[in-house]
Amino acid sequence: MYFNLFYPHVKETDIKRAVVLMGPRRVGKTVMMFHTIEQLIKEKINPQKIFFIGIDNPIYMQMGLEDLLILAKDAVQLDSLAGCFVFFDEIQYLKDWERHLKVLVDQYPETKFVVSGSAAAALKLQSSESGAGRFTDFMLPPLTFHEYIHLKGLSNLIQQKEILYSGKKIPYYTTHDHRALNKEFFHYLNFGGYPEVVLSEKIQSDMGRYIKNDIVDKVLLRDLPSLYGIKDVQELNSFFSYLAYNTGNEFSFERLSKDSGIQKETIKKYLEYLEAAFLVKVINKVDDNAKKFKRITSFKVYLTNPSLRTALFSPIEESDQETGNMVETAIFSQWMHRDNMNLKYARWKMGRSEGEVDMVSIDDKLFKPQWCVEIKWSNRYYDKPRELESLLFFCKRNDFKASVVTTIDILGNKTNEEIELTFLPAAVYAYNVGAITLDKKAIW
């Protein structure tokens, strides 16, 4: 589904820019390149003018990009590289790749370069620093729940209707069978995110062997240590496992240091590395006025893909204690596919207790909240909306007339204290966020 967004960047040859395809391991970056090559050939591009080179091949790892390019050119006996499309896969294994690529873009203005890599820490940081004006970054994230449903051929579960939100009827997707959709939603929590896992019962039966070894371990034990010179890889591995088990919880540097025995400055670096590698997302908090704190004292950490927890531990069921956090993680992960979203959570003192709202979107230009969502895996609040005291308080404080509350399987509207609450099943909400991601449109 991301192909239609990615391909125009490749075909854009009027502007001298290389395309940098980023993303976690096993989300389909190489496959995306192959589909792109297939489409170029369908559009009558001469196959001899299309090159695909895997940088992770040990033979190439000590060579420069231009050396590889000349080898490829000579192999097909081309006089010129004008009009050629060159694909470099796993680019991060080449030292100073961004400098090499920038030189190629300048020296061969009539050649289109496309590179990919899994070690996002190197790609994201180095491309933004060294490739300004030369690179176009494209993020390929794990599967959304929307993509999962269509990949499994379950579109028959989905139907389009209208829902009342903030006094207006807006189109949205729902289901005629909430039980079946919830079953798939939990399967997505445990095994979604990676196309090959979704389609293979063999891999699902042994997530630790296939996913942990191939994705988590290679990032933690090979990619990040090689990029940043991390010496205690077991400490990093244990730290990530701790975060994965507690995904969606609030932390402080003091608590993390006490629980893990790792110094606070090292924890800050580990969080930076894990976030850059697309394994976790750190969400900072705002107060009841949606103002951020000058000093970061606490924050939440979410897995970017809930199924990583299953790979490290075991699948969850609806009745498990961790279900609420996993549902919250899954919904945050749908929004993480939108690189223009500034998401926070709100927490503040409320009398003798604390108030909290799970998700708040902040406008980067106006520095004001746009909307908020309360993520629940419960139906009780539909009948008892007054119990959503923190949400109602936050809405009134920020002049919100409406908000969304997720449920297990109840859909409907309730008005309390002049705030219109739209109740949506969590699976339905997750599907809708994914459905509009490719259009880059806003949702509630």
Side-chain angles (χ1 to χ4, degrees), residues 8-24:
H9 291 298
V10 177
K11 286 301 298 290
E12 178 56 71
T13 56
D14 294 337
I15 302 175
K16 293 195 304 180
R17 295 180 76 94
V19 181
V20 181
L21 178 60
M22 301 183 295

Side-chain angles (χ1 to χ4, degrees), residues 25-27 143 192-198 211 215 305 307-308:
R25 286 183 172 275
R26 314 306 295 178
V27 294
L143 291 177
Y194 303 107
E196 62 182 337
V197 180
V198 170
I211 301 304
I215 298 175
N305 180 359
S307 66
L308 284 171

Side-chain angles (χ1 to χ4, degrees), residues 3 8 10 59 75 96 115 160 169 176 185 222 243 249 278 297 339 351 354 362 438:
F3 178 79
V10 177
I59 299 175
D96 297 327
V115 305
Q160 192 167 14
K169 287 186 176 181
H176 55 82
F185 186 52
R222 187 178 73 176
L243 294 177
N249 282 352
F278 301 121
T297 56
D339 54 14
E354 285 189 325
I362 305 294
L438 299 183

Side-chain angles (χ1 to χ4, degrees), residues 96-98 121-131 135 227:
D96 297 327
W97 68 268
E98 72 286 357
L123 290 170
K124 190 70 175 177
L125 296 178
Q126 295 181 28
S127 68
S128 61
E129 292 173 1
S130 304
F135 304 162
L227 289 170

Side-chain angles (χ1 to χ4, degrees), residues 23-54:
R25 286 183 172 275
R26 314 306 295 178
V27 294
K29 297 183 298 300
T30 303
V31 173
M32 178 83 85
M33 283 185 158
F34 288 160
H35 285 321
T36 301
I37 292 171
E38 180 182 26
Q39 185 61 32
L40 289 172
I41 294 174
K42 286 182 179 179
E43 296 181 7
K44 309 302 182 183
I45 300 296
N46 183 353
Q48 288 191 318
K49 289 195 170 187
I50 303 174
F51 304 103
F52 179 91
I53 304 169

